[in-house]
Amino acid sequence: MADNMVNWWDASVTGLYGDNYDLAPSENQTTVTFETAGDWKYGDWFAFQDLTYFNGANGGKNNTTYGEISTRLSAGKILGKPVGFGPVTDLSLALTLEEGEGPVKTFLYGVGTDIKVPYFSYFQLNTYRRHALSSDNISDGWQLTPSFRMDFPVGNSNIVFDGFIDWVFASDDSAYETNFHFNPQLKYDLGAVVFGEHKKNKLFVGIEYDYWNNKYGVNGIDQNTYSVIAKYHF
């Protein structure tokens, strides 16, 4: 692109269906997720928007939305020289905005690291300070967020294991419990098999696992569920 400002970018849509969701109007949910990610001259970005539909008995609440916008400003790219040490290949200023229905709007800021780990296509670790942007949001505290990807070639296709962890390991308000959210996906590149090599990395099918200890910071609410997924990259 012009002046090489954007090195690469990606956009995708994912459909998910699962059950056994806690603290929701319905245990059964269908979610459509729009995502974009990319790398540019001074950093990278990732953003997603969930549109969740509550199936079956839902108490009159049919749907909800939730999204995040994240960007990182790379010290190595800005300075034009490596700033890492050991397995750490780069340091960044990491920023994230969380926004959805209800008292969930939160700004996160901290330090991001890119770490070279054997067998991982990438491994990133962001350490955040959480800052609530609404008066009835009590989620202020500290959070660690690793994100990762592993690729396993299978014939002329590929299996991808990727995901993230949000671990709020310290909370300013005793009414908001520390919590641990692990959300990986295991996906098979179906497009490469059905449509040929030129459609590789386009159409994926698989499962998403969702484990959330003390979901939403509520003590004793531990979500443990799976969803079937289909994902298409444009």
Side-chain angles (χ1 to χ4, degrees):
M1 302 198 54
D3 298 324
N4 295 320
M5 286 297 292
V6 177
N7 299 316
W8 64 265
W9 68 276
D10 175 76
S12 65
V13 59
T14 305
L16 306 91
Y17 175 79
D19 55 16
N20 295 321
Y21 286 92
D22 293 319
L23 296 181
S26 172
E27 289 188 354
N28 302 316
Q29 296 182 9
T30 300
T31 300
V32 179
T33 299
F34 300 93
E35 292 179 323
T36 180
D39 182 272
W40 69 298
K41 187 174 182 179
Y42 298 117
D44 55 41
W45 77 82
F46 174 73
F48 74 88
Q49 181 68 51
D50 284 342
L51 306 177
T52 300
Y53 299 90
F54 303 116
N55 308 317
N58 56 24
K61 177 67 172 177
N62 295 320
N63 55 73
T64 191
T65 63
Y66 176 78
E68 295 183 12
I69 300 174
S70 300
T71 188
R72 303 190 312 162
L73 299 176
S74 160
K77 290 179 179 179
I78 293 172
L79 298 176
K81 61 181 181 180
V83 296
F85 50 91
V88 177
T89 60
D90 198 11
L91 297 174
S92 299
L93 171 64
L95 307 170
T96 293
L97 177 65
E98 302 175 343
E99 185 173 16
E101 297 183 14
V104 299
K105 184 181 289 188
T106 307
F107 180 60
L108 292 78
Y109 53 92
V111 177
T113 55
D114 288 77
I115 305 174
K116 188 175 182 179
V117 180
Y119 307 111
F120 283 78
S121 302
Y122 67 81
F123 188 94
Q124 300 173 343
L125 177 62
N126 298 328
T127 303
Y128 290 114
R129 172 64 184 174
R130 297 180 56 86
H131 176 70
L133 298 180
S134 50
S135 60
D136 45 357
N137 183 343
I138 58 172
S139 70
D140 286 358
W142 292 91
Q143 175 176 315
L144 282 177
T145 299
S147 59
F148 61 88
R149 172 171 171 152
M150 303 178 74
D151 288 83
F152 304 93
V154 178
N156 64 345
S157 187
N158 193 39
I159 292 177
V160 175
F161 178 62
D162 61 0
F164 68 89
I165 295 172
D166 283 339
W167 178 27
V168 180
F169 63 90
S171 173
D172 292 0
D173 194 313
S174 60
Y176 185 86
E177 291 290 333
T178 59
N179 56 90
F180 180 89
H181 189 194
F182 180 41
N183 190 219
Q185 295 181 348
L186 185 66
K187 297 167 290 196
Y188 178 66
D189 189 346
L190 184 63
V193 175
V194 175
F195 303 114
E197 185 73 16
H198 66 290
K199 288 294 186 179
K200 196 170 185 179
N201 294 317
K202 288 289 187 180
L203 175 63
F204 291 85
V205 294
I207 58 172
E208 178 183 274
Y209 175 60
D210 193 293
Y211 173 73
W212 199 338
N213 169 253
N214 293 334
K215 184 177 181 180
Y216 299 149
V218 179
N219 186 34
I221 301 297
D222 298 333
Q223 179 170 283
N224 190 356
T225 186
Y226 292 86
S227 296
V228 294
I229 66 174
K231 184 170 189 175
Y232 185 79
H233 292 263
F234 297 99

